[in-house]
Amino acid sequence: MAMIEVVYELRDAADLLLATQTKIQFEGIPWNMIVTDLAGDGDMEAFDLAVVISENHREYWADKGNNGVPQDDIYANFAALSTFDLSEVANAVAAYHRFGKACVIVDFGTATTFSAVSKEGDFLGVAIAPGLGVAAEALSSRTAQLPRVSLVPPVAAIGKNTVHSMQSGLVFGYVGLVEGLIGRIRSELGGNAQVVATGGLSRVLAPLTDQITVADPWLTLEGLRLIAERNAA
């Protein structure tokens, strides 16, 4: 777990995190190539430097097999610490270990996150939407006459009373949001990504769509277990 602990300690001190797989392959990062690029642009921003380091590493080790990345590992090129939560990385590790191909991880928590992993195992990024519970709370607290409702699907999309009308808009409407983002991310990944759902509300929403391959409430813990094992190896 050493890498996770280091990242946690740096969360308030760094704007960007550049990470590789658990063990840097072969002789490590080709610093001579990176320094050459850096010397050519003295005003390079941190994000651009992260891209340079990542791309030089890939280019240098491209002939070593799978761009120097173990097939069953996750490779995070670069990530903004303010954007990516460690649970999203753990989810990505577990999902890619399970499928071994492009995948989308939908985590239904306070916020709903959609994490994208390429077929090569690259952690590409995340889309973040308000969680269903947050949306429901906002609807009842910011309006005068709409009550709090249980987050369960109503009998029909056309509500016959206030509660069913709100449940339709919240639950069925949220399914539409989920399916729309999954479709867009799948398209960007090449159109054939597996989708795994996790988080507390996955039990409510996953059965309402055919776009989710599997629901696993223990996905984050599985990812943390895999990360711990790889760091201990």
Side-chain angles (χ1 to χ4, degrees):
M1 296 294 290
M3 180 61 70
I4 295 296
E5 293 168 357
V6 169
V7 171
Y8 183 79
E9 291 299 325
L10 290 175
R11 69 193 186 284
D12 296 325
D15 295 324
L16 288 169
L17 165 67
L18 177 69
T20 70
Q21 63 279 358
T22 304
K23 295 180 180 178
I24 301 237
Q25 298 297 292
F26 316 110
E27 290 83 5
I29 293 175
W31 292 109
N32 59 322
M33 297 173 65
I34 294 163
V35 171
T36 299
D37 284 345
L38 182 59
D41 184 1
D43 297 324
M44 186 180 297
E45 298 289 335
F47 182 86
D48 297 322
L49 178 59
V51 175
V52 165
I53 294 173
S54 175
E55 292 306 316
N56 279 327
H57 183 263
R58 282 180 171 277
E59 179 182 347
Y60 192 70
W61 298 116
D63 62 343
K64 301 296 185 179
N66 195 31
N67 292 336
V69 182
Q71 184 63 40
D72 65 344
D73 212 340
I74 203 78
Y75 184 90
N77 290 331
F78 47 88
L81 286 176
S82 60
T83 301
F84 299 146
D85 186 83
L86 295 181
S87 64
E88 292 159 8
V89 177
N91 287 341
V93 169
Y96 191 75
H97 178 77
R98 173 177 295 186
F99 297 117
K101 59 191 299 186
C103 50
V104 182
I105 304 94
V106 187
D107 190 346
F108 295 103
T110 304
T112 296
T113 59
F114 301 75
S115 302
V117 179
S118 74
K119 64 181 179 181
E120 294 83 12
D122 293 343
F123 183 76
L124 299 178
V126 181
I128 304 174
L132 178 55
V134 170
E137 178 64 25
L139 189 60
S140 62
S141 65
R142 302 294 288 272
T143 57
Q145 299 185 32
L146 296 181
R148 293 186 179 184
V149 297
S150 298
L151 296 178
V152 296
V155 294
I158 301 174
K160 303 299 185 182
N161 57 53
T162 300
V163 170
H164 288 172
S165 297
M166 291 178 65
Q167 288 173 331
S168 175
L170 286 167
V171 178
F172 292 152
Y174 206 82
V175 170
L177 179 153
V178 170
E179 291 180 339
L181 267 175
I182 288 174
R184 286 176 178 270
I185 295 171
R186 266 183 166 157
S187 178
E188 293 179 18
L189 289 174
N192 192 32
Q194 302 294 305
V195 180
V196 56
T198 191
L201 285 171
S202 60
R203 69 184 188 280
V204 175
L205 295 165
L208 301 178
T209 174
D210 60 2
Q211 298 302 303
I212 293 174
T213 309
V214 64
D216 183 355
W218 308 109
L219 189 71
T220 305
L221 293 178
E222 174 65 9
L224 290 173
R225 181 188 68 80
L226 290 167
I227 292 169
E229 287 181 353
R230 292 172 187 179
N231 275 277

